[in-house]
Amino acid sequence: MPFPIHRPRRLRSSESMRRLVRETRLDPANFVLPLFVCPGEGVRRPISSMPPQAQMSIDVTVAECSEIEALGIGGVMLFGLPESKDEQASGAYDDNGIVQRAVRAIKREVPDLLVITDVCNCEYTSHGHCGLIVNGDVDNDATLEWLAKSALSHARAGADVVAPSDMMDGRVSAIRTALDANGFTNTPILSYAAKFASVFYGPFREAAESAPQFGDRRSYQMDPANAREAMREIALDLEEGADMIMIKPAMPYLDLIREARDRFDVPISAYQVSGEYSMIMAAAANGWIDLERAMMESLTSIKRAGADFILTYFAKPAAQLLA
Ligand code: PBG
């Protein structure tokens, strides 16, 4: 007869009591802030669907990185907006590309801030797809070459971690081989291992100007209905040499974060994507939800599900709140 002997409310009676028995804690060290680097100087162009996020030129990005470091945030994830796009995504693997130059500038000015680079082609192709188009679809094996070249050029520029997000088969192995053959045996790969064809990337595609010009990404990103396949994708990427893995998006896929945590012993990250962020921001702007509490509860749920670190556009305000 548990009740009235057992009364779980006893441990919820005050903030000092709750604080003592709290199971999950957020730490700015486990946040990674995605940044969108654009050409020019002194540019800070607001992304209307993700306020107050903005596209920033390299100089502004570097200044932003100093603030990010001062807040104790774990690192940044860089996305690039190239000067021009083409069929071959040549801006993606150009040693003087936008991301490569940004990495060099950040590493020069803020050397201790962890810089992760997104390795993908969709921001660099004129059609917005993640690789070479052959007969109306992305050709897997031809795209691997671009990815390997991009990752290598990021590592050469000084990236601490490279993070392929394209969902081509075999990309981790292609990238590992290219890095190792060129002396970058110590550059880790964070694989977007289970990345779903999600509607919640909508605002990002405005931010990164990377919406596909025809069709969609369902022939390479995963079907939101598939959990077993997600575990298989993670296992394959680990076999190919991924050091860390990611589940993306985060909140609609908390079950998979938990399952991955229980099955795999590598660091697991989750990406709270643009749509997840913008929904909270929009509801808060309408006065329908409390912004700070929604932000912290969403991040806590992702960590509680088992994520070691979280890619989130809330990194700065959340770190400020935790300070
Ligand atoms: C692709 C990429 C995307 C995101 C991160 N990397 C978009 C896509 O796959 O269409 C989405 C991130 C977000 O929505 O915040 N390079």
Short mmCIF file of all heavy atoms in Angstrom, two decimals, residues 34 36 50 77 79 118-123 128 130 165-166 192 195-198 200-205 208 210-212 217 220-221 248-249 271-277 313, ligand 1:
data_model
loop_
_atom_site.label_atom_id
_atom_site.label_comp_id
_atom_site.label_asym_id
_atom_site.label_seq_id
_atom_site.Cartn_x
_atom_site.Cartn_y
_atom_site.Cartn_z
N PRO A 34 24.60 27.31 -34.72
CA PRO A 34 24.78 27.37 -36.17
C PRO A 34 24.87 28.82 -36.64
O PRO A 34 24.11 29.68 -36.18
CB PRO A 34 23.50 26.72 -36.73
CG PRO A 34 22.87 26.00 -35.57
CD PRO A 34 23.25 26.81 -34.37
N PHE A 36 25.45 31.46 -40.21
CA PHE A 36 25.36 31.55 -41.67
C PHE A 36 26.29 32.66 -42.15
O PHE A 36 26.04 33.84 -41.89
CB PHE A 36 23.91 31.84 -42.07
CG PHE A 36 22.95 30.80 -41.56
CD1 PHE A 36 22.25 30.97 -40.38
CD2 PHE A 36 22.78 29.61 -42.26
CE1 PHE A 36 21.39 29.99 -39.90
CE2 PHE A 36 21.92 28.62 -41.79
CZ PHE A 36 21.22 28.81 -40.60
N MET A 50 13.59 33.56 -38.76
CA MET A 50 14.29 33.06 -37.58
C MET A 50 14.83 34.20 -36.72
O MET A 50 16.01 34.23 -36.39
CB MET A 50 15.47 32.17 -38.00
CG MET A 50 15.10 30.98 -38.85
SD MET A 50 16.55 30.10 -39.48
CE MET A 50 17.27 29.48 -37.97
N MET A 77 28.68 25.93 -35.58
CA MET A 77 28.55 25.11 -36.79
C MET A 77 28.40 26.08 -37.95
O MET A 77 27.47 26.89 -37.97
CB MET A 77 27.30 24.24 -36.68
CG MET A 77 26.88 23.56 -37.97
SD MET A 77 27.88 22.15 -38.41
CE MET A 77 27.06 20.86 -37.50
N PHE A 79 27.73 27.40 -41.77
CA PHE A 79 27.12 27.20 -43.08
C PHE A 79 27.55 28.37 -43.94
O PHE A 79 27.67 29.50 -43.45
CB PHE A 79 25.59 27.19 -42.96
CG PHE A 79 25.06 26.02 -42.18
CD1 PHE A 79 24.79 26.13 -40.82
CD2 PHE A 79 24.85 24.80 -42.80
CE1 PHE A 79 24.31 25.04 -40.09
CE2 PHE A 79 24.37 23.70 -42.09
CZ PHE A 79 24.10 23.83 -40.73
N ASP A 118 29.68 22.39 -41.50
CA ASP A 118 28.69 21.55 -42.18
C ASP A 118 29.26 21.22 -43.55
O ASP A 118 29.67 22.12 -44.29
CB ASP A 118 27.37 22.33 -42.31
CG ASP A 118 26.29 21.52 -43.01
OD1 ASP A 118 25.60 20.76 -42.33
OD2 ASP A 118 26.16 21.66 -44.25
N VAL A 119 29.30 19.94 -43.86
CA VAL A 119 29.80 19.52 -45.16
C VAL A 119 28.60 19.08 -46.00
O VAL A 119 28.00 18.04 -45.74
CB VAL A 119 30.81 18.36 -45.03
CG1 VAL A 119 31.25 17.89 -46.41
CG2 VAL A 119 32.00 18.78 -44.18
N CYS A 120 28.21 19.94 -46.95
CA CYS A 120 27.10 19.60 -47.83
C CYS A 120 27.19 20.47 -49.08
O CYS A 120 27.90 21.47 -49.10
CB CYS A 120 25.76 19.81 -47.14
SG CYS A 120 24.41 18.98 -48.02
N ASN A 121 26.46 20.10 -50.10
CA ASN A 121 26.54 20.82 -51.36
C ASN A 121 25.34 21.72 -51.65
O ASN A 121 25.40 22.55 -52.55
CB ASN A 121 26.68 19.82 -52.52
CG ASN A 121 27.94 18.99 -52.39
OD1 ASN A 121 29.04 19.55 -52.32
ND2 ASN A 121 27.82 17.69 -52.32
N CYS A 122 24.26 21.57 -50.87
CA CYS A 122 23.00 22.21 -51.27
C CYS A 122 23.09 23.74 -51.26
O CYS A 122 22.36 24.40 -52.01
CB CYS A 122 21.84 21.73 -50.43
SG CYS A 122 22.02 22.06 -48.67
N GLU A 123 23.96 24.32 -50.44
CA GLU A 123 24.09 25.78 -50.47
C GLU A 123 24.90 26.25 -51.68
O GLU A 123 24.95 27.44 -51.95
CB GLU A 123 24.78 26.31 -49.20
CG GLU A 123 24.04 26.03 -47.91
CD GLU A 123 24.83 25.11 -47.00
OE1 GLU A 123 25.90 25.49 -46.52
OE2 GLU A 123 24.36 23.97 -46.79
N GLY A 128 20.07 23.56 -55.86
CA GLY A 128 19.73 23.40 -54.44
C GLY A 128 19.70 21.98 -53.93
O GLY A 128 19.36 21.74 -52.77
N CYS A 130 21.65 18.27 -52.96
CA CYS A 130 22.87 18.05 -52.18
C CYS A 130 23.99 17.37 -52.95
O CYS A 130 24.98 16.91 -52.36
CB CYS A 130 22.55 17.28 -50.91
SG CYS A 130 21.42 18.20 -49.84
N SER A 165 26.27 16.39 -43.84
CA SER A 165 24.82 16.45 -43.59
C SER A 165 24.00 16.06 -44.80
O SER A 165 22.80 16.29 -44.84
CB SER A 165 24.45 17.87 -43.15
OG SER A 165 24.59 18.77 -44.24
N ASP A 166 24.63 15.47 -45.80
CA ASP A 166 23.98 15.25 -47.10
C ASP A 166 23.16 13.96 -47.19
O ASP A 166 22.32 13.82 -48.06
CB ASP A 166 25.08 15.16 -48.14
CG ASP A 166 26.11 14.13 -47.67
OD1 ASP A 166 26.90 14.49 -46.79
OD2 ASP A 166 26.06 12.98 -48.11
N TYR A 192 25.86 13.56 -39.45
CA TYR A 192 24.40 13.71 -39.36
C TYR A 192 23.87 12.33 -39.79
O TYR A 192 23.45 12.14 -40.93
CB TYR A 192 23.89 14.73 -40.36
CG TYR A 192 24.13 16.21 -40.14
CD1 TYR A 192 25.41 16.76 -40.19
CD2 TYR A 192 23.05 17.08 -39.97
CE1 TYR A 192 25.59 18.14 -40.07
CE2 TYR A 192 23.23 18.46 -39.85
CZ TYR A 192 24.51 18.98 -39.91
OH TYR A 192 24.69 20.33 -39.80
N LYS A 195 19.25 11.72 -40.43
CA LYS A 195 18.68 13.00 -40.80
C LYS A 195 17.44 12.74 -41.66
O LYS A 195 17.51 12.06 -42.67
CB LYS A 195 19.71 13.82 -41.58
CG LYS A 195 19.14 15.11 -42.14
CD LYS A 195 20.23 15.98 -42.73
CE LYS A 195 19.65 17.19 -43.42
NZ LYS A 195 20.67 18.07 -43.96
N PHE A 196 16.34 13.30 -41.20
CA PHE A 196 15.05 13.00 -41.83
C PHE A 196 14.66 14.07 -42.84
O PHE A 196 15.03 15.24 -42.69
CB PHE A 196 13.98 12.86 -40.74
CG PHE A 196 14.18 11.62 -39.92
CD1 PHE A 196 15.05 11.60 -38.84
CD2 PHE A 196 13.56 10.43 -40.30
CE1 PHE A 196 15.27 10.43 -38.11
CE2 PHE A 196 13.77 9.26 -39.58
CZ PHE A 196 14.62 9.26 -38.48
N ALA A 197 13.88 13.67 -43.83
CA ALA A 197 13.32 14.60 -44.82
C ALA A 197 12.20 15.35 -44.11
O ALA A 197 11.05 14.95 -44.14
CB ALA A 197 12.80 13.84 -46.03
N SER A 198 12.56 16.43 -43.42
CA SER A 198 11.64 17.08 -42.49
C SER A 198 11.14 18.42 -42.99
O SER A 198 11.89 19.20 -43.57
CB SER A 198 12.37 17.28 -41.15
OG SER A 198 11.58 18.04 -40.27
N PHE A 200 10.45 20.66 -41.01
CA PHE A 200 10.95 21.63 -40.05
C PHE A 200 12.26 22.31 -40.47
O PHE A 200 12.80 23.12 -39.73
CB PHE A 200 11.11 20.97 -38.66
CG PHE A 200 9.78 20.54 -38.09
CD1 PHE A 200 9.46 19.20 -38.00
CD2 PHE A 200 8.84 21.47 -37.68
CE1 PHE A 200 8.23 18.78 -37.49
CE2 PHE A 200 7.61 21.08 -37.18
CZ PHE A 200 7.30 19.73 -37.07
N TYR A 201 12.77 21.98 -41.65
CA TYR A 201 13.95 22.70 -42.17
C TYR A 201 13.54 23.95 -42.95
O TYR A 201 14.41 24.65 -43.47
CB TYR A 201 14.79 21.83 -43.12
CG TYR A 201 15.23 20.49 -42.57
CD1 TYR A 201 15.44 19.40 -43.41
CD2 TYR A 201 15.45 20.31 -41.20
CE1 TYR A 201 15.84 18.17 -42.92
CE2 TYR A 201 15.84 19.08 -40.70
CZ TYR A 201 16.03 18.01 -41.56
OH TYR A 201 16.42 16.78 -41.08
N GLY A 202 12.26 24.21 -43.05
CA GLY A 202 11.77 25.31 -43.89
C GLY A 202 12.49 26.64 -43.69
O GLY A 202 13.06 27.20 -44.64
N PRO A 203 12.51 27.16 -42.47
CA PRO A 203 13.16 28.47 -42.27
C PRO A 203 14.65 28.46 -42.60
O PRO A 203 15.18 29.45 -43.10
CB PRO A 203 12.94 28.75 -40.78
CG PRO A 203 11.74 27.92 -40.41
CD PRO A 203 11.83 26.69 -41.25
N PHE A 204 15.32 27.34 -42.35
CA PHE A 204 16.75 27.23 -42.67
C PHE A 204 17.00 27.46 -44.15
O PHE A 204 18.00 28.06 -44.54
CB PHE A 204 17.27 25.83 -42.29
CG PHE A 204 18.68 25.52 -42.74
CD1 PHE A 204 19.74 25.73 -41.89
CD2 PHE A 204 18.94 25.02 -44.02
CE1 PHE A 204 21.04 25.42 -42.29
CE2 PHE A 204 20.22 24.73 -44.44
CZ PHE A 204 21.28 24.93 -43.57
N ARG A 205 16.08 26.98 -44.97
CA ARG A 205 16.32 27.09 -46.42
C ARG A 205 16.25 28.55 -46.87
O ARG A 205 16.86 28.92 -47.86
CB ARG A 205 15.38 26.16 -47.18
CG ARG A 205 15.78 24.71 -46.90
CD ARG A 205 14.91 23.69 -47.57
NE ARG A 205 15.30 22.34 -47.12
CZ ARG A 205 14.62 21.25 -47.37
NH1 ARG A 205 13.51 21.31 -48.09
NH2 ARG A 205 15.04 20.08 -46.92
N ALA A 208 19.82 29.76 -45.49
CA ALA A 208 20.97 29.28 -46.24
C ALA A 208 20.76 29.38 -47.74
O ALA A 208 21.63 29.00 -48.52
CB ALA A 208 21.28 27.84 -45.85
N SER A 210 18.98 27.59 -49.71
CA SER A 210 19.32 26.26 -50.20
C SER A 210 18.10 25.40 -50.53
O SER A 210 18.19 24.18 -50.53
CB SER A 210 20.18 25.53 -49.17
OG SER A 210 19.42 25.31 -47.98
N ALA A 211 16.95 26.03 -50.79
CA ALA A 211 15.76 25.24 -51.13
C ALA A 211 15.96 24.56 -52.48
O ALA A 211 16.45 25.19 -53.42
CB ALA A 211 14.53 26.13 -51.15
N PRO A 212 15.61 23.27 -52.59
CA PRO A 212 15.73 22.61 -53.89
C PRO A 212 14.82 23.27 -54.93
O PRO A 212 13.67 23.59 -54.62
CB PRO A 212 15.32 21.16 -53.61
CG PRO A 212 14.71 21.13 -52.27
CD PRO A 212 15.09 22.38 -51.55
N ARG A 217 13.90 16.26 -51.08
CA ARG A 217 15.10 15.51 -50.69
C ARG A 217 14.78 14.07 -50.24
O ARG A 217 15.59 13.44 -49.57
CB ARG A 217 15.80 16.24 -49.54
CG ARG A 217 16.23 17.67 -49.85
CD ARG A 217 17.44 18.06 -49.02
NE ARG A 217 17.62 19.50 -48.85
CZ ARG A 217 17.99 20.34 -49.80
NH1 ARG A 217 18.20 19.91 -51.04
NH2 ARG A 217 18.14 21.62 -49.52
N TYR A 220 17.12 11.00 -50.62
CA TYR A 220 18.35 10.82 -49.82
C TYR A 220 18.14 11.01 -48.32
O TYR A 220 18.70 10.27 -47.53
CB TYR A 220 19.54 11.64 -50.36
CG TYR A 220 19.28 13.06 -50.85
CD1 TYR A 220 19.69 14.15 -50.09
CD2 TYR A 220 18.68 13.31 -52.08
CE1 TYR A 220 19.52 15.45 -50.55
CE2 TYR A 220 18.47 14.61 -52.54
CZ TYR A 220 18.89 15.67 -51.76
OH TYR A 220 18.71 16.95 -52.20
N GLN A 221 17.32 11.98 -47.90
CA GLN A 221 17.05 12.10 -46.46
C GLN A 221 16.01 11.05 -46.06
O GLN A 221 15.23 10.58 -46.88
CB GLN A 221 16.56 13.51 -46.14
CG GLN A 221 17.62 14.56 -46.46
CD GLN A 221 17.17 15.98 -46.15
OE1 GLN A 221 16.00 16.24 -45.90
NE2 GLN A 221 18.11 16.90 -46.19
N LYS A 248 18.53 14.37 -36.29
CA LYS A 248 18.02 15.66 -36.76
C LYS A 248 16.72 15.47 -37.53
O LYS A 248 16.68 14.60 -38.40
CB LYS A 248 19.07 16.28 -37.68
CG LYS A 248 18.69 17.60 -38.28
CD LYS A 248 19.75 18.01 -39.25
CE LYS A 248 19.26 19.27 -39.95
NZ LYS A 248 20.05 19.60 -41.10
N PRO A 249 15.66 16.25 -37.21
CA PRO A 249 15.48 17.21 -36.11
C PRO A 249 15.54 16.56 -34.72
O PRO A 249 15.77 15.36 -34.62
CB PRO A 249 14.08 17.77 -36.38
CG PRO A 249 13.79 17.47 -37.82
CD PRO A 249 14.51 16.20 -38.10
N TYR A 271 20.01 18.04 -33.35
CA TYR A 271 19.90 19.37 -33.95
C TYR A 271 18.47 19.87 -33.78
O TYR A 271 17.54 19.33 -34.39
CB TYR A 271 20.25 19.27 -35.43
CG TYR A 271 20.61 20.58 -36.14
CD1 TYR A 271 21.63 20.60 -37.08
CD2 TYR A 271 19.93 21.77 -35.87
CE1 TYR A 271 21.98 21.78 -37.75
CE2 TYR A 271 20.27 22.94 -36.53
CZ TYR A 271 21.29 22.94 -37.47
OH TYR A 271 21.62 24.10 -38.13
N GLN A 272 18.32 20.85 -32.90
CA GLN A 272 17.02 21.52 -32.77
C GLN A 272 16.94 22.47 -33.95
O GLN A 272 17.52 23.55 -33.94
CB GLN A 272 16.97 22.28 -31.44
CG GLN A 272 15.64 22.95 -31.18
CD GLN A 272 15.62 23.70 -29.86
OE1 GLN A 272 16.55 24.45 -29.54
NE2 GLN A 272 14.58 23.52 -29.07
N VAL A 273 16.24 22.06 -35.00
CA VAL A 273 16.35 22.73 -36.29
C VAL A 273 15.53 24.02 -36.36
O VAL A 273 14.77 24.36 -35.45
CB VAL A 273 15.97 21.79 -37.46
CG1 VAL A 273 16.87 20.56 -37.46
CG2 VAL A 273 14.50 21.42 -37.40
N SER A 274 15.72 24.69 -37.48
CA SER A 274 15.12 26.02 -37.67
C SER A 274 13.61 26.05 -37.38
O SER A 274 13.13 26.95 -36.71
CB SER A 274 15.39 26.48 -39.10
OG SER A 274 14.92 25.54 -40.05
N GLY A 275 12.87 25.06 -37.89
CA GLY A 275 11.42 25.06 -37.69
C GLY A 275 11.03 24.91 -36.23
O GLY A 275 10.06 25.51 -35.76
N GLU A 276 11.79 24.10 -35.50
CA GLU A 276 11.53 23.94 -34.06
C GLU A 276 11.75 25.27 -33.35
O GLU A 276 10.97 25.66 -32.47
CB GLU A 276 12.48 22.89 -33.47
CG GLU A 276 12.34 21.50 -34.05
CD GLU A 276 13.37 20.54 -33.43
OE1 GLU A 276 13.28 20.26 -32.23
OE2 GLU A 276 14.28 20.09 -34.16
N TYR A 277 12.80 25.95 -33.74
CA TYR A 277 13.13 27.26 -33.17
C TYR A 277 12.07 28.29 -33.53
O TYR A 277 11.52 28.99 -32.66
CB TYR A 277 14.50 27.68 -33.70
CG TYR A 277 14.92 29.11 -33.41
CD1 TYR A 277 15.49 29.45 -32.17
CD2 TYR A 277 14.78 30.11 -34.36
CE1 TYR A 277 15.89 30.75 -31.91
CE2 TYR A 277 15.19 31.42 -34.10
CZ TYR A 277 15.74 31.72 -32.88
OH TYR A 277 16.14 33.02 -32.61
N TYR A 313 19.71 27.20 -32.16
CA TYR A 313 19.73 28.65 -32.38
C TYR A 313 19.47 29.41 -31.08
O TYR A 313 19.57 30.63 -31.04
CB TYR A 313 18.69 29.01 -33.46
CG TYR A 313 18.96 28.28 -34.75
CD1 TYR A 313 18.26 27.12 -35.09
CD2 TYR A 313 19.97 28.70 -35.61
CE1 TYR A 313 18.54 26.40 -36.25
CE2 TYR A 313 20.26 28.00 -36.78
CZ TYR A 313 19.54 26.85 -37.09
OH TYR A 313 19.83 26.14 -38.23
C1 PBG B 1 21.78 20.69 -45.42
C2 PBG B 1 21.29 21.12 -44.10
C3 PBG B 1 19.98 21.49 -43.79
C4 PBG B 1 19.96 21.81 -42.44
C5 PBG B 1 21.25 21.64 -41.96
N1 PBG B 1 22.06 21.19 -43.00
C6 PBG B 1 18.79 21.66 -44.64
C7 PBG B 1 18.32 20.60 -45.50
O1 PBG B 1 18.71 19.43 -45.39
O2 PBG B 1 17.50 20.93 -46.34
C8 PBG B 1 18.76 22.23 -41.68
C9 PBG B 1 19.01 22.94 -40.41
C10 PBG B 1 17.83 23.66 -39.87
O3 PBG B 1 16.69 23.52 -40.34
O4 PBG B 1 18.03 24.40 -38.90
N2 PBG B 1 23.04 21.08 -45.72
#
